[in-house]
Amino acid sequence: MGGWVLEVAKMALYLSFPVGMFHYFNQPEYFENWVTKTRRELYPPENVSHREEIQDCIRKLELKRERELLKILEENENKASITK
């Protein structure tokens, strides 16, 4: 007779835990505060000066790469003209 009571209690615990967690974590104010805080930590607001520094760095790297490619092309062109 006592076995079914234990089974009912276990089943109530098994069902109430996920429902309770869903209810707790699905509160809009908790979720909104947590998400806003986490988003600001992971993705801070963009700073204009940082963006400009990044763009400058990208431009410098592209120019450097173009110069290296031009240098290689000129060397290959010189070698080709010498062998002809």
Side-chain angles (χ1 to χ4, degrees):
M1 183 168 110
W4 69 271
V5 175
L6 182 60
E7 290 298 320
V8 169
K10 286 191 327 188
M11 186 58 66
L13 181 65
Y14 292 155
L15 292 175
S16 65
F17 180 74
V19 171
M21 291 294 107
F22 177 78
H23 176 71
Y24 176 74
F25 287 107
N26 204 25
Q27 297 299 315
E29 11 349 288
Y30 173 77
F31 182 74
E32 190 172 326
N33 291 337
W34 180 75
V35 168
T36 305
K37 180 182 162 211
T38 305
R39 186 183 312 147
R40 286 191 179 145
E41 287 176 4
L42 294 176
Y43 306 106
E46 191 171 297
N47 191 342
V48 176
S49 65
H50 290 163
R51 183 72 175 164
E52 290 173 357
E53 288 177 14
I54 291 171
Q55 291 297 331
D56 288 342
C57 183
I58 290 172
R59 280 189 223 108
K60 287 178 184 177
L61 289 173
E62 288 175 350
L63 284 173
K64 181 180 176 184
R65 185 167 184 229
E66 285 180 16
R67 288 182 190 140
E68 289 174 356
L69 288 173
L70 284 173
K71 183 178 177 182
I72 291 171
L73 286 173
E74 288 174 355
E75 289 174 0
N76 287 341
E77 189 177 291
N78 291 338
K79 287 179 185 178
S81 65
I82 292 174
T83 57
K84 286 186 179 179

